[in-house]
């Protein structure tokens, strides 16, 4: 090797070691439009991951609305099955749709559910100027004339948001489930807009989706679907205390592609646990009406597997699916 070639070789080697390739930034897919619960999950968890040093670059958020989350699910399964840099916002709505075959043959075992770190209480909401002052008022109106009330929700027809009012009506002895009107839109923000605008008479969704609207006095929350009143929102009565024994919380978490390694799956579970343990997440939960619900890794995957079976059974019992 000539002296010139040797010097060139050394220079290129030094440059190679001195300029390592930057780490790839993680991406969080929110399977709905901005403003809803899945969007909240991606933005809050992603921000905190970066703030506490769990990831070394800000997490990019991509909104991929469509088919009640089915578009994002199909995208991950078919196009990014081994991408270890993508996480996807998930909730009880995700498992509900999988349990009901709402994603056109997709199954829960096509991805890996990495964890949940908060429970979003279900709510039944009307516009501030609505004639319905209480949950009893709303239920009585539906019993008298099922077609007089239409619900808007961020899940598809038959999804978790749809199930919430049906469970309440079931407890009230109402059995004409298919007569209840429901309009599924892409995310809680769109559902609130439908209700405040008078296009629907009520909204069924989650606490995190309505906090901003509560602050502007545009809505009235008739019930929160928890065992006890939510800290910070003690003026909102539970459905239970109004005589409807329904508890329906929407866990907030993530899934990842099925094809990533066990080590990569464990790494995401660890990052999510770090968020759950942080003061920042405690503050985010308090500000958005979330209750603690931490379950990550293999334990959460087992929980989801059981939940899919349970939702399928419940959906058959109330007549949503055959």
């Amino acid at each position: 090797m000539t002296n010139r070639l040797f010097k060139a070789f050394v220079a290129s080697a030094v440059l190679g070691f001195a300029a390592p390739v930057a780490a790839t930034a993680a991406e969080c897919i929110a399977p709905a439009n901005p403003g809803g619960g899945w969007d909240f999950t991606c933005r809050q968890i992603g921000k905190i991951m970066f703030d506490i040093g769990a990831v070394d670059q800000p997490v990019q958020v991509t909104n991929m609305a469509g088919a009640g989350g089915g578009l994002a699910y199909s995208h991950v399964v078919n196009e990014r099955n081994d991408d270890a840099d993508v996480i996807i916002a998930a909730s009880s709505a995700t498992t509900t749709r999988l349990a009901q075959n709402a994603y056109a043959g997709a199954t829960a075992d096509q991805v890996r559910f990495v964890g949940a770190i908060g429970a979003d209480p279900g709510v039944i909401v009307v516009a501030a100027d609505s004639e319905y002052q209480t949950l009893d008022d709303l239920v009585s109106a539906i019993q008298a004339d099922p077609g007089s009330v239409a619900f808007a929700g961020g899940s598809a027809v038959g999804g978790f948001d749809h199930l919430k009012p049906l469970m309440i009506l079931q407890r009230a002895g109402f059995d004409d489930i298919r007569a209840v009107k429901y309009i599924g839109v892409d995310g809680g923000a769109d559902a609130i807009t439908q209700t405040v605008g008078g296009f629907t008479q009520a909204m069924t969704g989650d606490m995190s989706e309505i906090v901003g609207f509560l602050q502007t006095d545009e809505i009235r929350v008739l019930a929160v679907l928890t065992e006890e009143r939510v800290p910070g929102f003690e003026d909102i009565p539970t459905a239970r205390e109004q005589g409807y024994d329904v508890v329906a919380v929407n866990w907030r978490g993530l899934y990842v592609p099925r094809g990533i390694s066990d080590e990569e799956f464990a790494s995401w579970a660890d990052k999510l646990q770090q968020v759950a343990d942080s003061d920042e997440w405690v503050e985010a939960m308090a500000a958005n009406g979330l209750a603690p619900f931490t379950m990550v890794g293999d334990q959460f995957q087992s929980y989801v597997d059981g939940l899919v079976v349970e939702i399928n059974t419940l959906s058959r019992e109330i007549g949503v699916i055959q």
Side-chain angles (χ1 to χ4, degrees):
M1 182 182 293
T2 66
N3 189 49
R4 180 182 299 175
L5 287 174
F6 178 78
K7 288 181 178 179
F9 173 79
V10 170
S12 65
V14 169
L15 286 173
F17 283 114
V21 177
T24 303
E27 176 188 6
C28 187
I29 296 177
N33 290 324
W38 283 331
D39 184 67
F40 163 84
T41 297
C42 269
R43 294 185 190 281
Q44 285 293 321
I45 290 178
K47 179 181 184 302
I48 294 173
M49 278 185 180
F50 179 67
D51 289 346
I52 65 176
V55 294
D56 59 7
Q57 294 190 51
V59 176
Q60 173 188 337
V61 176
T62 300
N63 291 93
M64 191 177 294
L71 179 63
Y73 200 86
S74 175
H75 171 74
V76 172
V77 170
N78 295 314
E79 299 181 38
R80 305 181 70 174
N81 181 56
D82 59 354
D83 188 344
D85 292 318
V86 65
I87 51 179
I88 307 90
S91 64
S92 298
T94 310
T95 47
T96 298
R97 289 166 192 164
L98 289 166
Q100 297 174 342
N101 193 31
Y103 290 165
T107 56
D109 60 0
Q110 291 178 299
V111 300
R112 300 183 73 175
F113 287 85
V114 72
I117 62 172
D120 203 346
V123 290
I124 303 296
V125 175
V126 295
D129 60 356
S130 170
E131 63 183 288
Y132 307 118
Q133 298 293 319
T134 67
L135 188 58
D136 279 337
D137 291 343
L138 186 66
V139 170
S140 295
I142 296 171
Q143 289 175 319
D145 180 7
S148 66
V149 175
F151 289 89
S155 72
V157 171
F160 196 58
D161 285 341
H162 189 184
L163 291 179
K164 293 169 190 172
L166 298 186
M167 293 166 69
I168 291 170
L169 290 164
Q170 183 187 50
R171 302 301 192 278
F174 183 81
D175 57 9
D176 193 9
I177 297 298
R178 291 181 178 83
V180 179
K181 293 182 178 180
Y182 176 81
I183 299 172
V185 294
D186 276 315
D190 289 353
I192 283 286
T193 300
Q194 291 285 319
T195 302
V196 171
F199 300 103
T200 60
Q201 288 68 50
M203 178 263 192
T204 163
D206 302 309
M207 182 69 79
S208 69
E209 298 171 330
I210 68 166
V211 171
F213 293 91
L214 275 174
Q215 295 168 348
T216 60
D217 296 324
E218 293 181 85
I219 61 172
R220 179 186 309 119
V221 186
L222 300 184
V224 60
L225 308 183
T226 49
E227 294 183 354
E228 300 178 355
R229 296 195 181 197
V230 178
F233 300 88
E234 288 87 356
D235 58 331
I236 301 175
T238 67
R240 270 188 167 181
E241 67 187 78
Q242 298 178 75
Y244 305 92
D245 188 14
V246 174
V247 174
V249 300
N250 191 1
W251 52 262
R252 295 293 180 187
L254 303 169
Y255 67 83
V256 292
R258 181 72 190 179
I260 70 173
S261 69
D262 289 343
E263 291 76 17
E264 290 163 336
F265 175 79
S267 177
W268 278 119
D270 177 67
K271 290 177 173 62
L272 195 57
Q273 184 68 58
Q274 290 181 53
V275 173
D277 294 338
S278 70
D279 292 337
E280 289 85 346
W281 180 245
V282 172
E283 293 174 3
M285 285 195 296
N288 292 278
L290 292 181
F293 183 88
T294 302
M295 193 181 298
V296 300
D298 292 334
Q299 180 189 13
F300 184 66
Q301 180 65 64
S302 297
Y303 167 78
V304 166
D305 292 341
L307 192 62
V308 168
V309 174
E310 181 180 359
I311 292 173
N312 180 272
T313 301
L314 174 64
S315 298
R316 293 180 187 281
E317 288 178 352
I318 64 176
V320 173
I321 58 175
Q322 299 300 317

